Amino acid sequence: MPLDPVLQGLLSQIPPAPTGAINFPELREQSEAMLPLIIGPAGVVEVKSVESHIIEGPVAEVPIRIYRPLGHPEGTLHFVHGGGWSVGNLVMTDPIARRLCRDLSMVVVASTYRLAPEHAFPAAYDDTLVAATWVRSHVAELGGEQRPLLIGGDSAGANLVAAVCIGFREHDQVARGISPDDCTARSFDLQLLLYPAVDLRENELDYPSREADADPTLKMAAIRGLRAIYCGDSPADDWRISPLAAADLSNLPPALIVVLQVDPLRDEALIFADKLESVRCPG
């Protein structure tokens, strides 16, 4: 289908994807230069406050920003940015964090992670797990213990969110003695997955959306390159890399999954949604 004229105008302002070897420091600078376009003509969204913190992880420091809404908070959302596991930071995440904070009336905790190729898997997963653990343990001083606790992300960030939710389930069943059949002991009340990358395996399935390769801003050639630098020497069928490859997707937080029509990641996200639905807890 043809692109909306307004969207086409925005896309025309985005530099073409690099070909050949990627200069990642230069690519990150170019991405950050697009920040005014992301913010848009309405300007920066007002929130009550923004606080920056550093979480001391076992291997690396994990930077976070806490956004508090103007009104009474209705809950907490931990948000993880995308960027192909190789681009993105808290500056780039600021516009969407502010909008989520305002529109959901929630305290939003945005976290970042070590980027590939300088830091291949499991660096991004480990850093996101550190941040999510911190959010869970500090929810009382964030949006409140009796209010919803959500975790969300876009694209590569949604990949990390889906994997971390599985990781929490595995940890909690062992460390806290939670039964695998207990549907009430979830790590988060909801996982918000925006156009998630959930299957980084090369030839596991022939997804029509991958074959169509119709997104002008995200081509399969770029996805293959980013997948390679993120996975490094690790097998892509590890569920921490490909959540869709997990043998068991039961007892995870309910998911709201958003897909885009021309996104090459669309079909794997829909299959992930179907699998989650097939093991959904009753009630």
Side-chain angles (χ1 to χ4, degrees), residues 58-115:
V59 177
E61 295 181 336
V62 180
I64 64 170
R65 281 185 181 177
I66 302 173
Y67 297 78
R68 298 185 184 274
L70 293 172
H72 192 70
E74 299 295 332
T76 304
L77 167 64
H78 174 203
F79 190 80
V80 186
H81 68 78
W85 306 275
S86 60
V87 175
N89 54 36
L90 294 180
V91 173
M92 293 291 293
T93 312
D94 185 76
I96 188 172
R98 287 175 175 271
R99 293 187 185 201
L100 290 169
C101 179
R102 178 195 64 188
D103 295 347
L104 298 178
S105 296
M106 284 188 167
V107 174
V108 174
V109 181
S111 70
T112 188
Y113 43 87
R114 288 168 289 163
L115 300 174

Side-chain angles (χ1 to χ4, degrees), residues 3 10 42 58 61 71 110 191 198 245 276:
L3 287 172
L10 292 173
E61 295 181 336
Q191 49 180 322
V198 290
L276 289 174

Side-chain angles (χ1 to χ4, degrees), residues 4 11 22 42 46 53 63 75 78 80 104 106-107 119 122-123 129 131 146 158 161 171 185 190-191 217 223 237 246:
D4 179 272
L11 293 178
I22 300 175
E46 183 183 4
H53 296 275
H78 174 203
V80 186
L104 298 178
M106 284 188 167
V107 174
H119 303 281
L129 186 62
Q146 304 305 315
V161 166
H171 173 271
L190 179 77
Q191 49 180 322
T217 66
I223 291 176
D237 59 358

Side-chain angles (χ1 to χ4, degrees), residues 231-242:
C231 292
D233 296 328
S234 301
D237 59 358
D238 185 322
W239 58 258
R240 295 172 298 170
I241 294 176
S242 297

